[in-house]
Amino acid sequence: MQRIKSLFVANRGEIAVRIIRACRELGIASVQAYSEADSESLAVKLADKAVCVGAAPSKDSYLNRKALIDAVKAAGADAIHPGYGFLSENAEFADECVKAGLIYVGPEASVIRMMGDKAAARRLALDVGVPITMGSPDPIKSPDEAIEIGKRIGYPLLVKAAAGGGGRGMRVVTQESELRESLERAAAEATAAFGDGSLYIEKYLSPVRHVEVQVIGDGKDVIHLGERDCTIQRRHQKLVEEGPSPALTPALRERLTASAVALAKHVGYRNAGTLEYIVDAAKQEFYFIEMNTRIQVEHPVTEMLTGLDLVKMQIRIADGELLSVKQSDVQTSGHVIECRINAEDPEKGFMPRPGVLSEYSAPSGPGVRVDSHAYPGYKLPPHYDSLIAKLLVWGSDRTEALSRMQRALGEFQISGVPTTIEFHKRLIREPDFIASNIHTRYVKEHMWAGHPTQHML
Amino acid sequence: MADTKVVSEVTGSVWKVLVAVGDSVEADSPVVLIESMKMEIPVLAPDSGVVTEILVATGDPISEGQAVIALKT
């Protein structure tokens, strides 16, 4: 029996629109939270009901746990979807929602907490036999311990915040003499950003690819829905995602997806989730980095490959249903590429550029999907991320997907702010990208070689 | 010696002021961090000099082209 009659969307932007669409298809009423900066947002226009939860800065609105839960209760909603970012991986918030009698669209708080602690997640991976990069399984206790580890595994090293994510609180250390200062600065940054200064260290591998596995579990069973290759990045943040990964042999794909299912099953995972790995394509080896216990920005890549609706599946599972598909039912077809269209100026080191979209016209036609909250005249506030739209294309193979993406990028018209559209057009023409001969530092080291803003990437 | 206003290239809010009045700064060193669209963007000193005035505080909204500090160069 369906318990969820009304769902509260505790997020904004394109993912809020995505969740509202899922609700409508499921016959669930949607209640949209919004900040004072988002009163004109598409999500507010589309939702059945909208509630202002605070001022523009995220801490006053989309990160304001009390205001959100009060708003859910006042609106009479019985479920809450956290989207991605903001409170989507905040265990206290998940706890508070459940204590307030709400259905939280996500895993149990204890699972969020465990996976949110990157060091604990690494230990867990070791327990299940999933390979991790060499480094400290536990947060480091002193600079001397870090120096010991450095001697053992060699440089370059990566210093990471245990509570970090999204590329924040991460530093590359190339030699021992830099280690002490990097630890101090990383700890200070991590304390400021996440309220937790614990750090761990791992071997910095390069050149590598970034590949992630989509899983979904109902608390009893976990299945995987294939992988996404997210190697094209700037400042450790993704710009392009595609599936299947051009770098995996069938044998490696089998091992990778099996490891993801094993890890998720080990914690009785219930929700959509993503396990991130770095892949050394030359050696056909992979190493677990972290698990994201929420819907991911790039989830539509998997939706287009499998024909499944991940957001609806999340909501149904939260409502107590079991998975309606078995692993053997999951088939992928063709190739999908997603380009993130951001309000950023690539020529100025991908500097963010909030402003008004004086013109906005998205591409369409065969094999094209655009997930966006933008419309002509929409004002992108400076308070939130720079994503304007996710442009996805499906092709019967990668070659068709590439030419279709080039065609779709050519149709995309945005004026008023600089965007990443021209960057993507250039990337799709790069022989190395066409051959998928790429690594996570490709944009910085190859495309931006000699560019005055290379250091900013 | 000239007075130079150091301006932010980006709209956002002040994340951190990294210098104080009287500090000497090098050319291209960060003086203020602006948070815009969840990214931290440093405002760099265009020249070396001495900070004569701080024109913003943590949390202030900032427009593109707005001065954040004054420098005697």
mmCIF file with all atom_site columns, all heavy atoms in Angstrom, chain A residues 10-16 19 81-88 294-299 385 387 390, chain B residues 38:
data_model
loop_
_atom_site.group_PDB
_atom_site.id
_atom_site.type_symbol
_atom_site.label_atom_id
_atom_site.label_alt_id
_atom_site.label_comp_id
_atom_site.label_asym_id
_atom_site.label_entity_id
_atom_site.label_seq_id
_atom_site.pdbx_PDB_ins_code
_atom_site.Cartn_x
_atom_site.Cartn_y
_atom_site.Cartn_z
_atom_site.occupancy
_atom_site.B_iso_or_equiv
_atom_site.pdbx_formal_charge
_atom_site.auth_seq_id
_atom_site.auth_comp_id
_atom_site.auth_asym_id
_atom_site.auth_atom_id
_atom_site.pdbx_PDB_model_num
ATOM 1   N N   . ALA A 1 10  ? 13.478 18.859 -0.477  1.00 0.00 ? 10  ALA A N   1
ATOM 2   C CA  . ALA A 1 10  ? 14.399 19.696 0.311   1.00 0.00 ? 10  ALA A CA  1
ATOM 3   C C   . ALA A 1 10  ? 15.647 19.990 -0.517  1.00 0.00 ? 10  ALA A C   1
ATOM 4   O O   . ALA A 1 10  ? 16.773 19.713 -0.108  1.00 0.00 ? 10  ALA A O   1
ATOM 5   C CB  . ALA A 1 10  ? 14.765 18.990 1.614   1.00 0.00 ? 10  ALA A CB  1
ATOM 6   N N   . ASN A 1 11  ? 15.444 20.528 -1.701  1.00 0.00 ? 11  ASN A N   1
ATOM 7   C CA  . ASN A 1 11  ? 16.562 20.840 -2.575  1.00 0.00 ? 11  ASN A CA  1
ATOM 8   C C   . ASN A 1 11  ? 16.078 21.871 -3.589  1.00 0.00 ? 11  ASN A C   1
ATOM 9   O O   . ASN A 1 11  ? 14.967 22.387 -3.451  1.00 0.00 ? 11  ASN A O   1
ATOM 10  C CB  . ASN A 1 11  ? 17.081 19.566 -3.266  1.00 0.00 ? 11  ASN A CB  1
ATOM 11  C CG  . ASN A 1 11  ? 18.572 19.636 -3.556  1.00 0.00 ? 11  ASN A CG  1
ATOM 12  O OD1 . ASN A 1 11  ? 19.018 20.481 -4.325  1.00 0.00 ? 11  ASN A OD1 1
ATOM 13  N ND2 . ASN A 1 11  ? 19.343 18.765 -2.933  1.00 0.00 ? 11  ASN A ND2 1
ATOM 14  N N   . ARG A 1 12  ? 16.895 22.162 -4.576  1.00 0.00 ? 12  ARG A N   1
ATOM 15  C CA  . ARG A 1 12  ? 16.543 23.225 -5.522  1.00 0.00 ? 12  ARG A CA  1
ATOM 16  C C   . ARG A 1 12  ? 17.040 22.840 -6.918  1.00 0.00 ? 12  ARG A C   1
ATOM 17  O O   . ARG A 1 12  ? 17.507 21.735 -7.130  1.00 0.00 ? 12  ARG A O   1
ATOM 18  C CB  . ARG A 1 12  ? 17.184 24.546 -5.082  1.00 0.00 ? 12  ARG A CB  1
ATOM 19  C CG  . ARG A 1 12  ? 18.708 24.461 -5.092  1.00 0.00 ? 12  ARG A CG  1
ATOM 20  C CD  . ARG A 1 12  ? 19.370 25.790 -4.814  1.00 0.00 ? 12  ARG A CD  1
ATOM 21  N NE  . ARG A 1 12  ? 18.928 26.844 -5.732  1.00 0.00 ? 12  ARG A NE  1
ATOM 22  C CZ  . ARG A 1 12  ? 19.344 26.979 -6.991  1.00 0.00 ? 12  ARG A CZ  1
ATOM 23  N NH1 . ARG A 1 12  ? 20.223 26.144 -7.506  1.00 0.00 ? 12  ARG A NH1 1
ATOM 24  N NH2 . ARG A 1 12  ? 18.893 27.954 -7.769  1.00 0.00 ? 12  ARG A NH2 1
ATOM 25  N N   . GLY A 1 13  ? 16.942 23.782 -7.848  1.00 0.00 ? 13  GLY A N   1
ATOM 26  C CA  . GLY A 1 13  ? 17.567 23.606 -9.157  1.00 0.00 ? 13  GLY A CA  1
ATOM 27  C C   . GLY A 1 13  ? 16.984 22.455 -9.947  1.00 0.00 ? 13  GLY A C   1
ATOM 28  O O   . GLY A 1 13  ? 15.826 22.073 -9.774  1.00 0.00 ? 13  GLY A O   1
ATOM 29  N N   . GLU A 1 14  ? 17.833 21.893 -10.813 1.00 0.00 ? 14  GLU A N   1
ATOM 30  C CA  . GLU A 1 14  ? 17.330 20.876 -11.736 1.00 0.00 ? 14  GLU A CA  1
ATOM 31  C C   . GLU A 1 14  ? 16.890 19.605 -11.014 1.00 0.00 ? 14  GLU A C   1
ATOM 32  O O   . GLU A 1 14  ? 15.959 18.939 -11.449 1.00 0.00 ? 14  GLU A O   1
ATOM 33  C CB  . GLU A 1 14  ? 18.349 20.589 -12.841 1.00 0.00 ? 14  GLU A CB  1
ATOM 34  C CG  . GLU A 1 14  ? 19.646 19.913 -12.393 1.00 0.00 ? 14  GLU A CG  1
ATOM 35  C CD  . GLU A 1 14  ? 19.530 18.408 -12.272 1.00 0.00 ? 14  GLU A CD  1
ATOM 36  O OE1 . GLU A 1 14  ? 18.636 17.812 -12.893 1.00 0.00 ? 14  GLU A OE1 1
ATOM 37  O OE2 . GLU A 1 14  ? 20.345 17.835 -11.530 1.00 0.00 ? 14  GLU A OE2 1
ATOM 38  N N   . ILE A 1 15  ? 17.548 19.258 -9.893  1.00 0.00 ? 15  ILE A N   1
ATOM 39  C CA  . ILE A 1 15  ? 17.183 18.001 -9.228  1.00 0.00 ? 15  ILE A CA  1
ATOM 40  C C   . ILE A 1 15  ? 15.813 18.138 -8.558  1.00 0.00 ? 15  ILE A C   1
ATOM 41  O O   . ILE A 1 15  ? 15.056 17.166 -8.493  1.00 0.00 ? 15  ILE A O   1
ATOM 42  C CB  . ILE A 1 15  ? 18.285 17.508 -8.244  1.00 0.00 ? 15  ILE A CB  1
ATOM 43  C CG1 . ILE A 1 15  ? 18.057 16.055 -7.845  1.00 0.00 ? 15  ILE A CG1 1
ATOM 44  C CG2 . ILE A 1 15  ? 18.382 18.404 -7.007  1.00 0.00 ? 15  ILE A CG2 1
ATOM 45  C CD1 . ILE A 1 15  ? 18.156 15.052 -8.968  1.00 0.00 ? 15  ILE A CD1 1
ATOM 46  N N   . ALA A 1 16  ? 15.470 19.341 -8.107  1.00 0.00 ? 16  ALA A N   1
ATOM 47  C CA  . ALA A 1 16  ? 14.135 19.554 -7.540  1.00 0.00 ? 16  ALA A CA  1
ATOM 48  C C   . ALA A 1 16  ? 13.072 19.336 -8.625  1.00 0.00 ? 16  ALA A C   1
ATOM 49  O O   . ALA A 1 16  ? 12.059 18.666 -8.396  1.00 0.00 ? 16  ALA A O   1
ATOM 50  C CB  . ALA A 1 16  ? 14.027 20.965 -6.958  1.00 0.00 ? 16  ALA A CB  1
ATOM 51  N N   . ILE A 1 19  ? 12.693 15.631 -9.259  1.00 0.00 ? 19  ILE A N   1
ATOM 52  C CA  . ILE A 1 19  ? 11.944 14.924 -8.216  1.00 0.00 ? 19  ILE A CA  1
ATOM 53  C C   . ILE A 1 19  ? 10.447 15.224 -8.342  1.00 0.00 ? 19  ILE A C   1
ATOM 54  O O   . ILE A 1 19  ? 9.605  14.327 -8.206  1.00 0.00 ? 19  ILE A O   1
ATOM 55  C CB  . ILE A 1 19  ? 12.483 15.309 -6.806  1.00 0.00 ? 19  ILE A CB  1
ATOM 56  C CG1 . ILE A 1 19  ? 13.949 14.857 -6.659  1.00 0.00 ? 19  ILE A CG1 1
ATOM 57  C CG2 . ILE A 1 19  ? 11.621 14.689 -5.706  1.00 0.00 ? 19  ILE A CG2 1
ATOM 58  C CD1 . ILE A 1 19  ? 14.689 15.510 -5.503  1.00 0.00 ? 19  ILE A CD1 1
ATOM 59  N N   . HIS A 1 81  ? 12.532 14.258 0.306   1.00 0.00 ? 81  HIS A N   1
ATOM 60  C CA  . HIS A 1 81  ? 13.603 13.852 -0.612  1.00 0.00 ? 81  HIS A CA  1
ATOM 61  C C   . HIS A 1 81  ? 14.719 14.892 -0.522  1.00 0.00 ? 81  HIS A C   1
ATOM 62  O O   . HIS A 1 81  ? 14.483 16.064 -0.775  1.00 0.00 ? 81  HIS A O   1
ATOM 63  C CB  . HIS A 1 81  ? 13.059 13.760 -2.050  1.00 0.00 ? 81  HIS A CB  1
ATOM 64  C CG  . HIS A 1 81  ? 13.961 12.984 -2.968  1.00 0.00 ? 81  HIS A CG  1
ATOM 65  N ND1 . HIS A 1 81  ? 15.303 13.287 -3.131  1.00 0.00 ? 81  HIS A ND1 1
ATOM 66  C CD2 . HIS A 1 81  ? 13.733 11.901 -3.757  1.00 0.00 ? 81  HIS A CD2 1
ATOM 67  C CE1 . HIS A 1 81  ? 15.852 12.425 -3.980  1.00 0.00 ? 81  HIS A CE1 1
ATOM 68  N NE2 . HIS A 1 81  ? 14.914 11.571 -4.371  1.00 0.00 ? 81  HIS A NE2 1
ATOM 69  N N   . PRO A 1 82  ? 15.948 14.454 -0.178  1.00 0.00 ? 82  PRO A N   1
ATOM 70  C CA  . PRO A 1 82  ? 17.015 15.439 0.007   1.00 0.00 ? 82  PRO A CA  1
ATOM 71  C C   . PRO A 1 82  ? 17.782 15.791 -1.269  1.00 0.00 ? 82  PRO A C   1
ATOM 72  O O   . PRO A 1 82  ? 18.630 16.687 -1.231  1.00 0.00 ? 82  PRO A O   1
ATOM 73  C CB  . PRO A 1 82  ? 17.944 14.729 0.998   1.00 0.00 ? 82  PRO A CB  1
ATOM 74  C CG  . PRO A 1 82  ? 17.802 13.283 0.631   1.00 0.00 ? 82  PRO A CG  1
ATOM 75  C CD  . PRO A 1 82  ? 16.376 13.095 0.186   1.00 0.00 ? 82  PRO A CD  1
ATOM 76  N N   . GLY A 1 83  ? 17.522 15.106 -2.394  1.00 0.00 ? 83  GLY A N   1
ATOM 77  C CA  . GLY A 1 83  ? 18.260 15.420 -3.627  1.00 0.00 ? 83  GLY A CA  1
ATOM 78  C C   . GLY A 1 83  ? 19.734 15.087 -3.507  1.00 0.00 ? 83  GLY A C   1
ATOM 79  O O   . GLY A 1 83  ? 20.095 14.070 -2.908  1.00 0.00 ? 83  GLY A O   1
ATOM 80  N N   . TYR A 1 84  ? 20.597 15.926 -4.098  1.00 0.00 ? 84  TYR A N   1
ATOM 81  C CA  . TYR A 1 84  ? 22.056 15.769 -3.918  1.00 0.00 ? 84  TYR A CA  1
ATOM 82  C C   . TYR A 1 84  ? 22.621 17.061 -3.334  1.00 0.00 ? 84  TYR A C   1
ATOM 83  O O   . TYR A 1 84  ? 21.989 18.116 -3.394  1.00 0.00 ? 84  TYR A O   1
ATOM 84  C CB  . TYR A 1 84  ? 22.745 15.386 -5.236  1.00 0.00 ? 84  TYR A CB  1
ATOM 85  C CG  . TYR A 1 84  ? 22.486 16.287 -6.420  1.00 0.00 ? 84  TYR A CG  1
ATOM 86  C CD1 . TYR A 1 84  ? 22.961 17.613 -6.453  1.00 0.00 ? 84  TYR A CD1 1
ATOM 87  C CD2 . TYR A 1 84  ? 21.791 15.827 -7.533  1.00 0.00 ? 84  TYR A CD2 1
ATOM 88  C CE1 . TYR A 1 84  ? 22.739 18.426 -7.543  1.00 0.00 ? 84  TYR A CE1 1
ATOM 89  C CE2 . TYR A 1 84  ? 21.556 16.651 -8.639  1.00 0.00 ? 84  TYR A CE2 1
ATOM 90  C CZ  . TYR A 1 84  ? 22.037 17.949 -8.636  1.00 0.00 ? 84  TYR A CZ  1
ATOM 91  O OH  . TYR A 1 84  ? 21.806 18.760 -9.710  1.00 0.00 ? 84  TYR A OH  1
ATOM 92  N N   . GLY A 1 85  ? 23.825 17.009 -2.799  1.00 0.00 ? 85  GLY A N   1
ATOM 93  C CA  . GLY A 1 85  ? 24.406 18.183 -2.140  1.00 0.00 ? 85  GLY A CA  1
ATOM 94  C C   . GLY A 1 85  ? 23.611 18.524 -0.885  1.00 0.00 ? 85  GLY A C   1
ATOM 95  O O   . GLY A 1 85  ? 22.871 17.680 -0.347  1.00 0.00 ? 85  GLY A O   1
ATOM 96  N N   . PHE A 1 86  ? 23.719 19.762 -0.427  1.00 0.00 ? 86  PHE A N   1
ATOM 97  C CA  . PHE A 1 86  ? 22.997 20.248 0.758   1.00 0.00 ? 86  PHE A CA  1
ATOM 98  C C   . PHE A 1 86  ? 22.969 19.183 1.876   1.00 0.00 ? 86  PHE A C   1
ATOM 99  O O   . PHE A 1 86  ? 24.037 18.749 2.316   1.00 0.00 ? 86  PHE A O   1
ATOM 100 C CB  . PHE A 1 86  ? 21.587 20.722 0.370   1.00 0.00 ? 86  PHE A CB  1
ATOM 101 C CG  . PHE A 1 86  ? 21.599 21.906 -0.560  1.00 0.00 ? 86  PHE A CG  1
ATOM 102 C CD1 . PHE A 1 86  ? 21.038 21.832 -1.837  1.00 0.00 ? 86  PHE A CD1 1
ATOM 103 C CD2 . PHE A 1 86  ? 22.209 23.103 -0.183  1.00 0.00 ? 86  PHE A CD2 1
ATOM 104 C CE1 . PHE A 1 86  ? 21.063 22.930 -2.707  1.00 0.00 ? 86  PHE A CE1 1
ATOM 105 C CE2 . PHE A 1 86  ? 22.240 24.199 -1.052  1.00 0.00 ? 86  PHE A CE2 1
ATOM 106 C CZ  . PHE A 1 86  ? 21.674 24.097 -2.298  1.00 0.00 ? 86  PHE A CZ  1
ATOM 107 N N   . LEU A 1 87  ? 21.761 18.739 2.294   1.00 0.00 ? 87  LEU A N   1
ATOM 108 C CA  . LEU A 1 87  ? 21.678 17.835 3.449   1.00 0.00 ? 87  LEU A CA  1
ATOM 109 C C   . LEU A 1 87  ? 21.575 16.359 3.040   1.00 0.00 ? 87  LEU A C   1
ATOM 110 O O   . LEU A 1 87  ? 21.255 15.502 3.864   1.00 0.00 ? 87  LEU A O   1
ATOM 111 C CB  . LEU A 1 87  ? 20.468 18.216 4.311   1.00 0.00 ? 87  LEU A CB  1
ATOM 112 C CG  . LEU A 1 87  ? 20.599 19.584 5.002   1.00 0.00 ? 87  LEU A CG  1
ATOM 113 C CD1 . LEU A 1 87  ? 19.260 19.992 5.615   1.00 0.00 ? 87  LEU A CD1 1
ATOM 114 C CD2 . LEU A 1 87  ? 21.678 19.548 6.081   1.00 0.00 ? 87  LEU A CD2 1
ATOM 115 N N   . SER A 1 88  ? 21.878 16.081 1.756   1.00 0.00 ? 88  SER A N   1
ATOM 116 C CA  . SER A 1 88  ? 21.594 14.729 1.254   1.00 0.00 ? 88  SER A CA  1
ATOM 117 C C   . SER A 1 88  ? 22.476 13.650 1.876   1.00 0.00 ? 88  SER A C   1
ATOM 118 O O   . SER A 1 88  ? 22.139 12.474 1.798   1.00 0.00 ? 88  SER A O   1
ATOM 119 C CB  . SER A 1 88  ? 21.745 14.694 -0.263  1.00 0.00 ? 88  SER A CB  1
ATOM 120 O OG  . SER A 1 88  ? 23.075 14.994 -0.632  1.00 0.00 ? 88  SER A OG  1
ATOM 121 N N   . ARG A 1 294 ? 23.205 8.754  -2.050  1.00 0.00 ? 294 ARG A N   1
ATOM 122 C CA  . ARG A 1 294 ? 22.129 9.644  -2.506  1.00 0.00 ? 294 ARG A CA  1
ATOM 123 C C   . ARG A 1 294 ? 22.021 9.512  -4.011  1.00 0.00 ? 294 ARG A C   1
ATOM 124 O O   . ARG A 1 294 ? 22.834 8.848  -4.639  1.00 0.00 ? 294 ARG A O   1
ATOM 125 C CB  . ARG A 1 294 ? 22.506 11.086 -2.169  1.00 0.00 ? 294 ARG A CB  1
ATOM 126 C CG  . ARG A 1 294 ? 23.925 11.392 -2.687  1.00 0.00 ? 294 ARG A CG  1
ATOM 127 C CD  . ARG A 1 294 ? 24.257 12.841 -2.733  1.00 0.00 ? 294 ARG A CD  1
ATOM 128 N NE  . ARG A 1 294 ? 25.680 13.064 -2.928  1.00 0.00 ? 294 ARG A NE  1
ATOM 129 C CZ  . ARG A 1 294 ? 26.309 13.086 -4.091  1.00 0.00 ? 294 ARG A CZ  1
ATOM 130 N NH1 . ARG A 1 294 ? 25.645 12.851 -5.204  1.00 0.00 ? 294 ARG A NH1 1
ATOM 131 N NH2 . ARG A 1 294 ? 27.612 13.313 -4.175  1.00 0.00 ? 294 ARG A NH2 1
ATOM 132 N N   . ILE A 1 295 ? 21.032 10.194 -4.594  1.00 0.00 ? 295 ILE A N   1
ATOM 133 C CA  . ILE A 1 295 ? 20.978 10.262 -6.053  1.00 0.00 ? 295 ILE A CA  1
ATOM 134 C C   . ILE A 1 295 ? 22.136 11.148 -6.513  1.00 0.00 ? 295 ILE A C   1
ATOM 135 O O   . ILE A 1 295 ? 22.550 12.066 -5.810  1.00 0.00 ? 295 ILE A O   1
ATOM 136 C CB  . ILE A 1 295 ? 19.596 10.813 -6.528  1.00 0.00 ? 295 ILE A CB  1
ATOM 137 C CG1 . ILE A 1 295 ? 19.371 10.549 -8.019  1.00 0.00 ? 295 ILE A CG1 1
ATOM 138 C CG2 . ILE A 1 295 ? 19.454 12.303 -6.238  1.00 0.00 ? 295 ILE A CG2 1
ATOM 139 C CD1 . ILE A 1 295 ? 19.036 9.140  -8.361  1.00 0.00 ? 295 ILE A CD1 1
ATOM 140 N N   . GLN A 1 296 ? 22.674 10.839 -7.671  1.00 0.00 ? 296 GLN A N   1
ATOM 141 C CA  . GLN A 1 296 ? 23.842 11.563 -8.176  1.00 0.00 ? 296 GLN A CA  1
ATOM 142 C C   . GLN A 1 296 ? 23.420 12.507 -9.308  1.00 0.00 ? 296 GLN A C   1
ATOM 143 O O   . GLN A 1 296 ? 22.439 12.228 -10.005 1.00 0.00 ? 296 GLN A O   1
ATOM 144 C CB  . GLN A 1 296 ? 24.794 10.498 -8.734  1.00 0.00 ? 296 GLN A CB  1
ATOM 145 C CG  . GLN A 1 296 ? 26.208 10.925 -8.895  1.00 0.00 ? 296 GLN A CG  1
ATOM 146 C CD  . GLN A 1 296 ? 27.087 10.371 -7.795  1.00 0.00 ? 296 GLN A CD  1
ATOM 147 O OE1 . GLN A 1 296 ? 26.617 10.003 -6.730  1.00 0.00 ? 296 GLN A OE1 1
ATOM 148 N NE2 . GLN A 1 296 ? 28.373 10.340 -8.040  1.00 0.00 ? 296 GLN A NE2 1
ATOM 149 N N   . VAL A 1 297 ? 24.160 13.594 -9.500  1.00 0.00 ? 297 VAL A N   1
ATOM 150 C CA  . VAL A 1 297 ? 23.864 14.529 -10.598 1.00 0.00 ? 297 VAL A CA  1
ATOM 151 C C   . VAL A 1 297 ? 23.681 13.759 -11.910 1.00 0.00 ? 297 VAL A C   1
ATOM 152 O O   . VAL A 1 297 ? 22.717 13.977 -12.652 1.00 0.00 ? 297 VAL A O   1
ATOM 153 C CB  . VAL A 1 297 ? 25.012 15.562 -10.767 1.00 0.00 ? 297 VAL A CB  1
ATOM 154 C CG1 . VAL A 1 297 ? 24.748 16.469 -11.961 1.00 0.00 ? 297 VAL A CG1 1
ATOM 155 C CG2 . VAL A 1 297 ? 25.200 16.381 -9.501  1.00 0.00 ? 297 VAL A CG2 1
ATOM 156 N N   . GLU A 1 298 ? 24.623 12.849 -12.192 1.00 0.00 ? 298 GLU A N   1
ATOM 157 C CA  . GLU A 1 298 ? 24.680 12.205 -13.509 1.00 0.00 ? 298 GLU A CA  1
ATOM 158 C C   . GLU A 1 298 ? 23.808 10.948 -13.609 1.00 0.00 ? 298 GLU A C   1
ATOM 159 O O   . GLU A 1 298 ? 23.999 10.146 -14.528 1.00 0.00 ? 298 GLU A O   1
ATOM 160 C CB  . GLU A 1 298 ? 26.133 11.893 -13.873 1.00 0.00 ? 298 GLU A CB  1
ATOM 161 C CG  . GLU A 1 298 ? 26.895 11.011 -12.886 1.00 0.00 ? 298 GLU A CG  1
ATOM 162 C CD  . GLU A 1 298 ? 27.567 11.785 -11.744 1.00 0.00 ? 298 GLU A CD  1
ATOM 163 O OE1 . GLU A 1 298 ? 27.114 12.902 -11.435 1.00 0.00 ? 298 GLU A OE1 1
ATOM 164 O OE2 . GLU A 1 298 ? 28.530 11.277 -11.165 1.00 0.00 ? 298 GLU A OE2 1
ATOM 165 N N   . HIS A 1 299 ? 22.838 10.779 -12.697 1.00 0.00 ? 299 HIS A N   1
ATOM 166 C CA  . HIS A 1 299 ? 22.015 9.567  -12.747 1.00 0.00 ? 299 HIS A CA  1
ATOM 167 C C   . HIS A 1 299 ? 21.277 9.363  -14.073 1.00 0.00 ? 299 HIS A C   1
ATOM 168 O O   . HIS A 1 299 ? 21.017 8.223  -14.457 1.00 0.00 ? 299 HIS A O   1
ATOM 169 C CB  . HIS A 1 299 ? 21.012 9.550  -11.571 1.00 0.00 ? 299 HIS A CB  1
ATOM 170 C CG  . HIS A 1 299 ? 19.857 10.488 -11.733 1.00 0.00 ? 299 HIS A CG  1
ATOM 171 N ND1 . HIS A 1 299 ? 19.927 11.810 -11.375 1.00 0.00 ? 299 HIS A ND1 1
ATOM 172 C CD2 . HIS A 1 299 ? 18.623 10.302 -12.264 1.00 0.00 ? 299 HIS A CD2 1
ATOM 173 C CE1 . HIS A 1 299 ? 18.772 12.395 -11.671 1.00 0.00 ? 299 HIS A CE1 1
ATOM 174 N NE2 . HIS A 1 299 ? 17.974 11.511 -12.204 1.00 0.00 ? 299 HIS A NE2 1
ATOM 175 N N   . ASP A 1 385 ? 25.106 26.314 -6.822  1.00 0.00 ? 385 ASP A N   1
ATOM 176 C CA  . ASP A 1 385 ? 26.062 25.854 -7.825  1.00 0.00 ? 385 ASP A CA  1
ATOM 177 C C   . ASP A 1 385 ? 25.766 26.422 -9.222  1.00 0.00 ? 385 ASP A C   1
ATOM 178 O O   . ASP A 1 385 ? 24.723 27.015 -9.453  1.00 0.00 ? 385 ASP A O   1
ATOM 179 C CB  . ASP A 1 385 ? 26.169 24.328 -7.834  1.00 0.00 ? 385 ASP A CB  1
ATOM 180 C CG  . ASP A 1 385 ? 24.924 23.670 -8.372  1.00 0.00 ? 385 ASP A CG  1
ATOM 181 O OD1 . ASP A 1 385 ? 24.316 24.205 -9.312  1.00 0.00 ? 385 ASP A OD1 1
ATOM 182 O OD2 . ASP A 1 385 ? 24.546 22.603 -7.857  1.00 0.00 ? 385 ASP A OD2 1
ATOM 183 N N   . LEU A 1 387 ? 25.383 24.979 -12.150 1.00 0.00 ? 387 LEU A N   1
ATOM 184 C CA  . LEU A 1 387 ? 24.760 24.117 -13.158 1.00 0.00 ? 387 LEU A CA  1
ATOM 185 C C   . LEU A 1 387 ? 23.517 24.777 -13.766 1.00 0.00 ? 387 LEU A C   1
ATOM 186 O O   . LEU A 1 387 ? 22.601 25.156 -13.050 1.00 0.00 ? 387 LEU A O   1
ATOM 187 C CB  . LEU A 1 387 ? 24.376 22.779 -12.506 1.00 0.00 ? 387 LEU A CB  1
ATOM 188 C CG  . LEU A 1 387 ? 23.839 21.679 -13.413 1.00 0.00 ? 387 LEU A CG  1
ATOM 189 C CD1 . LEU A 1 387 ? 24.884 21.227 -14.425 1.00 0.00 ? 387 LEU A CD1 1
ATOM 190 C CD2 . LEU A 1 387 ? 23.393 20.470 -12.577 1.00 0.00 ? 387 LEU A CD2 1
ATOM 191 N N   . LYS A 1 390 ? 21.808 19.817 -17.736 1.00 0.00 ? 390 LYS A N   1
ATOM 192 C CA  . LYS A 1 390 ? 22.546 18.600 -18.072 1.00 0.00 ? 390 LYS A CA  1
ATOM 193 C C   . LYS A 1 390 ? 22.057 18.182 -19.450 1.00 0.00 ? 390 LYS A C   1
ATOM 194 O O   . LYS A 1 390 ? 20.870 17.925 -19.627 1.00 0.00 ? 390 LYS A O   1
ATOM 195 C CB  . LYS A 1 390 ? 22.247 17.492 -17.060 1.00 0.00 ? 390 LYS A CB  1
ATOM 196 C CG  . LYS A 1 390 ? 22.532 17.922 -15.621 1.00 0.00 ? 390 LYS A CG  1
ATOM 197 C CD  . LYS A 1 390 ? 22.388 16.805 -14.614 1.00 0.00 ? 390 LYS A CD  1
ATOM 198 C CE  . LYS A 1 390 ? 21.026 16.208 -14.553 1.00 0.00 ? 390 LYS A CE  1
ATOM 199 N NZ  . LYS A 1 390 ? 20.740 15.533 -13.248 1.00 0.00 ? 390 LYS A NZ  1
ATOM 200 N N   . LYS B 2 38  ? 29.257 28.165 -4.993  1.00 0.00 ? 38  LYS B N   1
ATOM 201 C CA  . LYS B 2 38  ? 29.893 27.083 -4.223  1.00 0.00 ? 38  LYS B CA  1
ATOM 202 C C   . LYS B 2 38  ? 31.369 26.885 -4.553  1.00 0.00 ? 38  LYS B C   1
ATOM 203 O O   . LYS B 2 38  ? 31.950 25.861 -4.225  1.00 0.00 ? 38  LYS B O   1
ATOM 204 C CB  . LYS B 2 38  ? 29.114 25.767 -4.401  1.00 0.00 ? 38  LYS B CB  1
ATOM 205 C CG  . LYS B 2 38  ? 27.768 25.812 -3.709  1.00 0.00 ? 38  LYS B CG  1
ATOM 206 C CD  . LYS B 2 38  ? 26.896 24.650 -4.082  1.00 0.00 ? 38  LYS B CD  1
ATOM 207 C CE  . LYS B 2 38  ? 27.333 23.360 -3.431  1.00 0.00 ? 38  LYS B CE  1
ATOM 208 N NZ  . LYS B 2 38  ? 26.540 22.236 -3.965  1.00 0.00 ? 38  LYS B NZ  1
#
